Amino acid sequence: MSEAIPVLGVGPVLLVSIQNELTDRSVSSLHRAVLERIQETGAPALLIDVTASEVIDTFIGRILSETARMAQLMNTDVVLVGMQPEVAITLLEMGLEIPNVRTAMSLEKGLEAVGYRITKIDDDANPSVADITESLGTGVGDAKD
Amino acid sequence: MQRIEIRDEQDIVRARTAARSLAETLNFSVVDKTRIATAVSELARNVVVHGGGGYVEVESVNAEKRVGMRCVFVDQGPGIEDVERAMAEGFSTAGTIGHGLPGARRLMDDLSIEATPGQGTRVEIIKWIP
Ligand SMILES: Nc1ncnc2c1ncn2[C@@H]1O[C@H](COP(=O)(O)OP(=O)(O)O)[C@@H](O)[C@H]1O
Ligand SMILES: [Mg+2]
């Protein structure tokens, strides 16, 4: 069921989403997949999305730390994305630390933390046929007005 | 009272799902629900990893003026030689991080351990509705 955890590419940045039901098997496949993708792509950054994690216990916490450390050893910046406030509180109370890892509230903020920004494509960059004909002064674009 | 067998990782998920849904029914806060589910996850994992399997009983409790919930984890594994040491931060006989028991104690209002070497372990946790 929870076998392979996909490693997605968002531009040069890698993204993995941790689901709640992480098992030993999916953990080792997570490590392998992340490692392979970093080797292949030389990704500058890895975002680990924990939005769906309702519980981060010491087992999952350790996995997150190890995955992050492994990525960092390969020169890949790591950001933990979307940790729920109640999960963060619980982690602190447990005395769990995920060292050297930044956090971000959303995917957008996570991308910004590693130097990328999502921007809407400017419509003028992809002119429509009407725009082109209008700029040529052929009058085709005016006909509809 | 609900009893959940704990043998493997899927059972750990089952145990914490059961605990969370009782906590939900009892109207615990969002943070308390997460504390309870996390503590249950730790202790259920200990039953699998250290205790060789067992079960947990999840139930609501009514004391004089308080309402809360209790989870009792039971296994017939090796027990614990030195309970105080097992409760210490960072102590583990499994090479893992050893924050499970002390962490779970902090997340709950009460955690008590009865362990007989060679016979098994019983861990009881309670959380009261504030
Ligand atoms: N159910 C159990 N049966 C036997 N020993 C246990 C049990 N639960 C905990 N222990 C002992 O207590 C130690 C500390 O447990 P814990 O704080 O959860 O850390 P960890 O699970 O990382 O070792 C374990 O390493 C183990 O020696
Ligand atoms: Mg443990």
Side-chain angles (χ1 to χ4, degrees):
Chain A
M1 186 179 76
S2 48
E3 299 292 286
I5 298 170
V7 184
L8 308 176
V10 184
V13 175
L14 298 180
L15 170 66
V16 282
S17 269
I18 306 294
Q19 301 303 315
N20 232 356
E21 274 87 54
L22 215 51
T23 62
D24 278 332
R25 232 178 322 165
S26 49
V27 169
S28 52
S29 100
L30 170 73
H31 278 244
R32 206 174 332 110
V34 166
L35 200 64
E36 277 171 14
R37 285 296 293 277
I38 291 177
Q39 272 169 341
E40 271 165 36
T41 64
L46 168 71
L47 305 183
I48 305 177
D49 170 35
V50 291
T51 309
S53 301
E54 292 185 330
V55 166
I56 298 183
D57 57 11
T58 61
F59 173 73
I60 297 174
R62 188 169 77 142
I63 291 159
L64 294 178
S65 296
E66 282 175 358
T67 305
R69 199 173 52 209
M70 187 182 71
Q72 285 162 347
L73 282 174
M74 300 185 72
N75 256 329
T76 300
D77 206 2
V78 179
V79 180
L80 216 49
V81 169
M83 187 182 291
Q84 306 300 313
E86 61 273 19
V87 172
I89 290 170
T90 303
L91 268 180
L92 269 179
E93 288 176 352
M94 290 275 290
L96 264 193
E97 273 183 78
I98 303 180
N100 305 318
V101 177
R102 285 178 293 163
T103 58
M105 289 303 286
S106 65
L107 207 50
E108 279 102 322
K109 294 270 187 255
L111 281 169
E112 281 177 19
V114 296
Y116 294 87
R117 180 168 294 149
I118 296 175
T119 48
K120 187 175 186 304
I121 295 168
D122 184 352
D123 279 342
D124 292 344
N126 290 312
S128 67
V129 175
D131 290 335
I132 296 169
T133 52
E134 197 172 352
S135 71
L136 290 174
T138 57
V140 179
D142 299 332
K144 281 184 180 162
D145 287 326
Chain B
M1 193 259 283
Q2 199 187 348
R3 178 174 162 146
I4 298 128
E5 298 297 320
I6 305 175
R7 320 230 149 267
D8 57 26
E9 286 183 297
Q10 287 310 317
D11 296 333
I12 297 172
V13 176
R14 261 176 227 127
R16 78 172 174 240
T17 305
R20 183 185 276 277
S21 81
L22 177 58
E24 185 100 49
T25 311
L26 294 172
N27 267 318
F28 274 102
S29 71
V30 175
V31 180
D32 274 349
K33 277 187 284 193
T34 304
R35 289 184 177 118
I36 292 165
T38 306
V40 167
S41 199
E42 290 299 337
L43 299 175
R45 184 168 293 278
N46 281 355
V47 167
V48 173
V49 174
H50 307 298
Y55 62 86
V56 60
E57 287 172 351
V58 178
E59 63 186 346
S60 57
V61 276
N62 283 281
E64 299 96 68
K65 282 179 181 164
R66 300 193 289 184
V67 175
M69 67 182 275
R70 167 166 53 211
C71 305
V72 181
F73 299 80
V74 179
D75 66 63
Q76 291 174 343
I80 300 176
E81 205 71 61
D82 184 343
V83 171
E84 206 178 309
R85 199 157 64 121
M87 284 299 305
E89 214 67 64
F91 175 82
S92 174
T93 53
T96 44
I97 64 178
H99 284 290
L101 287 177
R105 167 169 278 173
R106 279 195 295 276
L107 296 177
M108 303 300 287
D109 291 324
D110 194 48
L111 180 151
S112 57
I113 303 177
E114 282 166 32
T116 318
Q119 286 184 24
T121 302
R122 180 184 183 279
V123 182
E124 177 177 326
I125 51 175
I126 294 184
K127 189 85 178 165
W128 299 107
I129 294 168

